Amino acid sequence: MQLHLCQRVALEMTLRAGKALTQAVRAMPAEGLTWKPHDASRHALSLMGHCAVTNLVYAAVLANAPLPFRSQAESDTAIERCSTLPKASAYLQRSLTRLCDTLIAIPADRLTEMVILPDGERMPSALAMLVPASHMQYHLGQINYLQTLMGDEEYH
């Protein structure tokens, strides 16, 4: 099966974002993994779990499949299970596998088909395929900021 250019780009961006997110969290000291500067903030493991949950949701949307969580409480529970670095990393990797498998499986004739994202935004599948990578990169920035607040100014 030959992948369309937009699928190759989405796949590469998704893999890069997932790798960068994982590297950044692994570079944090153990005591910093659950540190947050404010009660309303998320800590690094929670951000990693949130990205995994969201990847699974985007995979379902792109595959025209049922959503993996029936409620916010279900997705919150999945995020809370990311209580250690090995658990959070494994969950993110499983979500990346599912998402990448979905990106590869989208038939070329569906690339212009409109999809509705969980926030209600409508866009062509070819554009929506880039949203998960963008989402992970956004949260990578938050993790990098947490690192700087803990005194780590090194780029990971």
Side-chain angles (χ1 to χ4, degrees):
M1 170 203 251
Q2 178 142 1
L3 295 181
H4 195 275
L5 176 62
C6 64
Q7 286 170 293
R8 290 196 315 261
V9 169
L11 187 61
E12 182 67 23
M13 293 299 296
T14 298
L15 290 170
R16 285 177 181 231
K19 180 180 179 181
L21 186 69
T22 301
Q23 281 180 270
V25 175
R26 285 188 176 151
M28 296 180 83
E31 65 275 6
L33 292 173
T34 56
W35 178 81
K36 54 187 187 175
H38 187 275
D39 288 341
S41 304
R42 287 187 177 164
H43 55 74
L45 293 180
S46 176
L47 289 167
M48 197 175 218
H50 168 75
C51 286
V53 161
T54 306
N55 285 345
L56 295 173
V57 170
Y58 285 135
V61 167
L62 290 166
N64 285 326
L67 294 177
F69 306 101
R70 293 179 303 227
S71 67
Q72 185 65 48
E74 280 187 15
S75 64
D76 289 346
T77 298
I79 293 168
E80 289 167 11
R81 287 190 195 119
C82 296
S83 57
T84 66
L85 182 54
K87 288 178 183 179
S89 293
Y91 194 43
L92 182 67
Q93 291 311 308
R94 285 194 306 275
S95 77
L96 286 167
T97 298
R98 170 100 36 93
L99 180 57
C100 290
D101 288 348
T102 300
L103 294 173
I104 291 167
I106 296 173
D109 62 345
R110 281 201 47 234
L111 296 176
T112 57
E113 179 181 295
M114 296 299 280
V115 296
I116 301 173
L117 298 179
D119 65 0
E121 186 176 1
R122 296 173 54 91
M123 66 179 62
S125 291
L127 182 57
M129 291 187 308
L130 295 171
V131 172
S134 176
H135 178 259
M136 285 187 286
Q137 289 168 336
Y138 171 82
H139 290 298
L140 171 62
Q142 291 178 314
I143 290 166
N144 288 332
Y145 186 61
L146 288 174
Q147 289 171 323
T148 62
L149 291 175
M150 290 186 285
D152 183 355
E153 296 180 21
E154 187 178 330
Y155 180 77
H156 301 283

